[in-house]
Amino acid sequence: MYKLRLKSVSKSFGSTRVINNLSLEVETGEMVCLIGASGSGKSTLLRCINLLEPVDHGEIWLDDFDIAEPALDPDPIRKRIGLVFQSFNLFPHLSVLENITLAPCKVNGKSKKDAQDHAIELLERFGLADKAGTYPDHLSGGQQQRVAIVRTLAMQPELLLLDEITSALDPELVGEVLDVVRTLKAQQMTMVLATHEMAFAREAADRVCFLDHGSVVEIASPDQLFTQPAEARTREFLARLLAER
Amino acid sequence: MPKLNRRQLHDQAIRRRSLVISSASLFAVCAGLVLLVPMAPGWTAVKNSFFNWDVLVKTFPKLLSAFVVDLKIFLWSAPLIFVLSLAIALARNTRRPALFPLRLFGALYTDVLRGVPVILLVYLIGFGIPGLGLPRPYNSPYIWGTVALVLGYSAYVAEVFRAGIESVHASQSAAARSLGLSESATMRYVVLPQAIRRQIPALMNFVIALLKDVALLSFIGPIEILRQANVYKSLMANFTPYVGAAIIFLCVTIPVTRYADYLLARQRRERSV
Ligand SMILES: Nc1ncnc2c1ncn2[C@@H]1O[C@H](COP(=O)(O)OP(=O)(O)O)[C@@H](O)[C@H]1O
Ligand SMILES: [Mg+2]
């Protein structure tokens, strides 16, 4: 069963076409990694799925609902889809606990008590229980990103979009954030993850999708895509990555 | 105490030397003023009409109680300005086409009212509207003077809020929207708290300016401190009540100014981290 289906989606900024007739399907419980050069449209694609950017053409089906329908109110859909940003984007004026409970209280109408209980349960699960009262500025990058993930999880999303969540981190902090993703994968969370961490994509992804100029060049199992890519462009991209190492 | 290293010793020597120099020059300036000013030909006359101790002592209590009127006008104007300017800033920030008239109004309002001196607003509204022949409580200069201050100040303060709103990075809104918060909830819980916090030093400057500009209402009737000083000046043919009024203002404005500077400095420190 598919959680998410993109059908011929296109998106332009002015005259530059950033997403070009792109189709992609994600099964429930599946984790798809998006790889591709910077500027290939990974972030834009995730923002389109979350309806932060309206698409120009095409359909985006969440379960059996085309959420790209322009007349739709996007707010009730967004709360079903979590998006975690490269730069964390925690709210600096709110404590960790307040960051996490804001949306459950104001969007879902949860009582403060319920929201806090749930938030603390999540914080405990990800080893952040002692940070509840702390403000984001006083956390390390890795802790901030883990809090940002917990913040989206508090909305109990059906689909989680992760946009290069380790790219802004010092190398020694990458592991703790990827561990969170591993945990979520073990819990069958449906995820689309844009990443530069090829080793992680290879280890954890169900399928890997190579994007170039806003189109899917190739999508395959990690073993297949990394060892015997079918497309010349994929081979070139991987060879260039190897050369940069 | 730990032994100072070379750099610290050097810095200490420099600090001592500049302290000596600044004390010496301060002393020279003060001595000059004290010795030279009384030598001016008109000094005795000025001293009598501006710095007359007896007049000061006699008029000060009444001035002080008149100042309470200024404080009251300030205390009810400030929240009104806060609310109105916030409303205008939000109106100018809307992007929904249905609210375009509101946005246009916001832009017109700030352009027109920032272009007119506050004193003119006080005259025009304070004299003009009661002149329409309104019945008794509604022709009070307190009401229309307050309206003039609120309208004039809101135009400036709205711009402060708008700048604050624009300074909050778009990624903050994106994060809030992605969690399902509506546009207005995002503004209320995420953008505005950050915007206002950032603009507190700028807002403090308007607090100080408003404190002083309340005295403009003296031109249209309320017996506040400046008007009271005016009365005494005519009565006693002496300017000392003005000096008394200035002293009273300074007693309030200097601490507030210092506090604003402190907030500004603290904010600069925090940003640089
Ligand atoms: N808001 C925007 N306005 C204009 N151009 C944009 C905007 N966002 C992204 N782009 C452009 O779209 C292209 C794809 O960007 P992005 O989706 O961020 O790629 P990636 O995440 O793969 O690095 C880039 O050329 C970028 O300059
Ligand atoms: Mg990106």
Side-chain angles (χ1 to χ4, degrees), chain B residues 42-65:
Chain B
W43 169 241
T44 344
V46 167
K47 192 180 152 199
N48 267 328
S49 53
F50 282 87
F51 302 103
N52 189 319
W53 182 251
D54 294 336
V55 173
L56 186 68
V57 169
K58 217 180 294 169
T59 58
F60 202 78
K62 249 326 208 353
L63 287 177
L64 208 53
S65 63

Side-chain angles (χ1 to χ4, degrees), chain A:
Chain A
M1 208 178 70
Y2 290 118
K3 174 53 77 180
L4 178 75
R5 279 172 298 160
L6 306 185
K7 295 185 182 169
S8 312
V9 170
S10 294
K11 166 79 189 170
S12 300
F13 288 114
S15 59
T16 41
R17 184 165 270 217
V18 177
I19 302 295
N20 193 2
N21 200 23
L22 183 148
S23 297
L24 175 68
E25 280 145 5
V26 180
E27 278 177 53
T28 305
E30 190 185 25
M31 173 164 148
V32 173
C33 279
L34 299 177
I35 63 171
S38 103
S40 58
K42 303 182 295 293
S43 298
T44 305
L45 180 62
L46 296 181
R47 292 171 65 90
C48 285
I49 298 172
N50 192 250
L51 305 184
L52 279 177
E53 300 284 357
V55 300
D56 302 329
H57 304 284
E59 298 166 8
I60 302 175
W61 289 77
L62 184 66
D63 292 333
D64 40 13
F65 227 35
D66 177 12
I67 61 172
E69 167 58 44
L72 230 52
D73 176 9
D75 291 336
I77 298 161
R78 284 203 192 100
K79 69 174 189 180
R80 297 168 57 194
I81 305 174
L83 174 57
V84 182
F85 301 84
Q86 179 174 349
S87 49
F88 331 136
N89 300 357
L90 292 176
F91 308 131
H93 61 299
L94 300 178
S95 70
V96 165
L97 194 61
E98 290 163 338
N99 262 278
I100 299 169
T101 55
L102 180 67
C105 289
K106 304 303 174 196
V107 180
N108 287 348
K110 263 198 188 180
S111 76
K112 200 170 168 188
K113 172 91 176 49
D114 286 351
Q116 286 183 348
D117 289 349
H118 185 215
I120 286 173
E121 192 189 308
L122 286 169
L123 285 172
E124 274 168 1
R125 194 182 314 157
F126 295 106
L128 291 160
D130 56 328
K131 302 297 179 201
T134 312
Y135 283 81
D137 286 350
H138 298 273
L139 297 176
S140 74
Q143 289 166 339
Q144 288 193 47
Q145 192 59 292
R146 280 149 65 204
V147 170
I149 295 173
V150 168
R151 181 174 68 177
T152 56
L153 291 180
M155 291 299 282
Q156 296 174 304
E158 305 158 29
L159 170 65
L160 194 55
L161 310 172
L162 306 155
D163 188 7
E164 296 201 26
I165 56 171
T166 57
S167 296
L169 297 178
D170 291 334
E172 73 271 20
L173 301 177
V174 168
E176 63 185 73
V177 173
L178 293 182
D179 279 342
V180 173
V181 181
R182 288 188 186 98
T183 310
L184 295 174
K185 167 132 170 67
Q187 294 166 357
Q188 308 280 308
M189 173 68 84
T190 311
M191 289 185 277
V192 181
L193 179 140
T195 189
H196 281 151
E197 300 281 336
M198 297 304 154
F200 180 73
R202 187 158 186 183
E203 159 213 327
D206 295 305
R207 284 186 303 154
V208 178
C209 173
F210 171 56
L211 281 192
D212 193 24
H213 291 102
S215 308
V216 175
V217 176
E218 183 169 355
I219 180 162
S221 73
D223 273 341
Q224 164 115 39
L225 191 128
F226 285 113
T227 54
Q228 331 163 358
E231 298 290 327
R233 272 195 286 170
T234 317
R235 276 197 294 276
E236 277 163 32
F237 173 73
L238 293 173
R240 216 172 325 125
L241 270 189
L242 273 179
E244 278 169 19
R245 287 284 152 77

